[in-house]
Amino acid sequence: MGPERYSENWLYQQIDDTLAFYYPTCMDYENGGYYHSFYDNGELSSDTTKHLVGTSRFIYNFSIGAILGRGDFCIEAAEHGLRFLQEHHQDKENGGYFWTLDGQKVTEDKKYAYGHAFVLLAASKAYSAGIEWAREVIESVYQVLEEHFWEAKHHLYADELTADWSEMSAYRGQNANMHMCEAMIAAYEATSEKVYLERAYEIADAVTGRLAAQTKGLIWEHFTPDWQPDWTFVETEESKQEFRPNGFIPGHSIEWSKLLMMLDRHISEPWMLDRAIHLYQEGYQKGADTEYGGIIYSISADKVMMDTDKYYWVQAETFGASALLAVKLGKPAYWQRYEAMLDYCSESFIDQKHGGGWFNTLFRDNLRQSAIKSEKAKADYHPIANYYETLRVLAGA
C-alpha cells in the first residue's frame, strides 16, 4: 500500500527542481557560503544577510542531494557551505556559532540553541553524504551544546546566551528543542553513536510528555526558566518572531508527530506512537482550513484561530507526517491526507511557473504576500526534508 499519486518519481523530481531553483545562483564564491534571498524567478534580492540557520539548511539540502545521487554538484556545494560555516559563522575565540553575518562581517553575535541545532543537523547530513571531516563538526558542536545549553535537570536545552557565554536569557522555548531532537536523530544515523539517540529520546519525552501535559495535550511555545508555560511572552524583535511564534502552532504538533516516528525507527516504545497520533490529530483538526485548504499558522491559548496565514513549512510537515504515519499504521486515510495536502501544495505553494521552489507565506485565501520567494533562513529545507523522509519510508528504510 502506498500513495496513488506523488510517489517516488514525483518526489525525486521535486528535489531536483528545488535544488535547480537555488543552484548555482546561491553560491557566493566571493565571500563564501551562500546567497540566501531570492525573488520568484530566481534572481537575487538586495538582502545580503547570511543567517546561521539558512547556511545550515543549504548544507542540509545539498547533502540530501548527494545522499540521493541527484548530481555531482551536490557534494561540492555542501562542502562549500560547511567550510563557510566553520571559517566565518564559527566564533574562533569563544566557541559556538554567530547568528547572522553580512558577507563575512558578524552582525549578531548571540548564540542560539536553534541555530546550533541546525549546525548539528547540517554536519550530520554532510557526514552521511561522505564529507569525512564533518564528523569533527558533529562532535565539537555537541560539546558546545553540552557545556553551555544543556539543562540536565529538565532534559532540555536553554535558548539564548551572549557571545562570550557569560549571560543566559531567561527565555526557554520548545522550538529549539524540537529541532535539536531532529538533529540528534540525524547525528545518530550518521555516526551510530548512541549518545545522540539517547539525547533525542530525552528531548522528545520531555516536550511531548511533560511539557504537553502542562498545556492539555498541545505543545506551547514559550516557557519560564523552570520550564513552566509562559502565557504572556510575546517576541518583539521581528527577526526572531518566526523562531518564537505566538500561540499554539498546529504545524509544530504535526512536526513533532513526524519526529516521534523518525525516533521510532531506532527506539520503538508504545508512547511514541500514541503521542504521535494525538499530536497529529490535534494539530490537523485545530489547524485545517476547511474553506480555503491547508493548515493555518496559529491558534490562541483558548484554542481559537489566531493567525490564519498559510506558511510553507506547515504544509510540508503535514505531508511528511502523514506519510510516516501511513506506513507505520497501514491506514489508507493517512495516504489520503498526504495526497490531499500535496494537491493543495501543488496548486498553491509549489511554483509551477518558474520551475521550482515553494512560496513562503500566503494569506488565508492563498493569495501571495510577497514577490520574495525565499529569504534568510528558508532555503526550502522543510520541503526537501519531507520529500526525503517520505522517500525513506516508501523504500522501507
Side-chain angles (χ1 to χ4, degrees), residues 255-273:
E255 190 168 359
W256 264 115
S257 72
K258 182 192 78 171
L259 292 176
L260 287 167
M261 289 298 89
M262 290 167 61
L263 184 60
D264 179 79
R265 294 171 182 156
H266 308 293
I267 306 176
S268 186
E269 296 182 358
W271 64 265
M272 295 176 186
L273 182 57

Side-chain angles (χ1 to χ4, degrees), residues 77-187:
E79 191 160 19
H80 173 82
L82 196 63
R83 283 195 299 271
F84 183 80
L85 190 75
Q86 292 302 97
E87 291 170 6
H88 299 291
H89 274 292
Q90 188 179 30
D91 182 345
K92 302 297 197 305
E93 181 178 353
N94 299 300
Y97 293 82
F98 299 125
W99 188 238
T100 58
L101 310 174
D102 187 353
Q104 298 178 0
K105 180 182 178 182
V106 177
T107 52
E108 183 173 352
D109 62 3
K110 286 183 179 179
K111 311 292 173 57
Y112 292 93
Y114 191 103
H116 285 71
F118 273 96
V119 172
L120 181 59
L121 179 67
S124 298
K125 290 305 181 188
Y127 184 62
S128 293
I131 300 174
E132 291 295 326
W133 63 272
R135 180 149 189 169
E136 300 170 14
V137 183
I138 297 172
E139 293 168 353
S140 65
V141 72
Y142 179 78
Q143 290 305 314
V144 167
L145 290 164
E146 282 293 288
E147 183 177 351
H148 298 293
F149 289 99
W150 181 242
E151 297 190 305
K153 177 182 177 181
H154 302 287
H155 306 282
L156 293 163
Y157 288 94
D159 206 84
E160 173 188 336
L161 290 101
T162 51
D164 63 0
W165 310 111
S166 63
E167 185 177 345
M168 179 181 288
S169 167
Y171 177 82
R172 300 292 184 274
Q174 84 79 25
N175 199 4
N177 282 278
M178 180 180 69
H179 284 291
M180 203 70 76
C181 179
E182 175 189 27
M184 292 293 172
I185 295 171

Side-chain angles (χ1 to χ4, degrees), residues 277-295:
I277 293 170
H278 169 79
L279 289 168
Y280 178 94
Q281 297 294 2
E282 283 289 298
Y284 193 94
Q285 290 167 10
K286 290 183 169 58
D289 186 342
T290 57
E291 184 173 359
Y292 293 104
I295 308 289

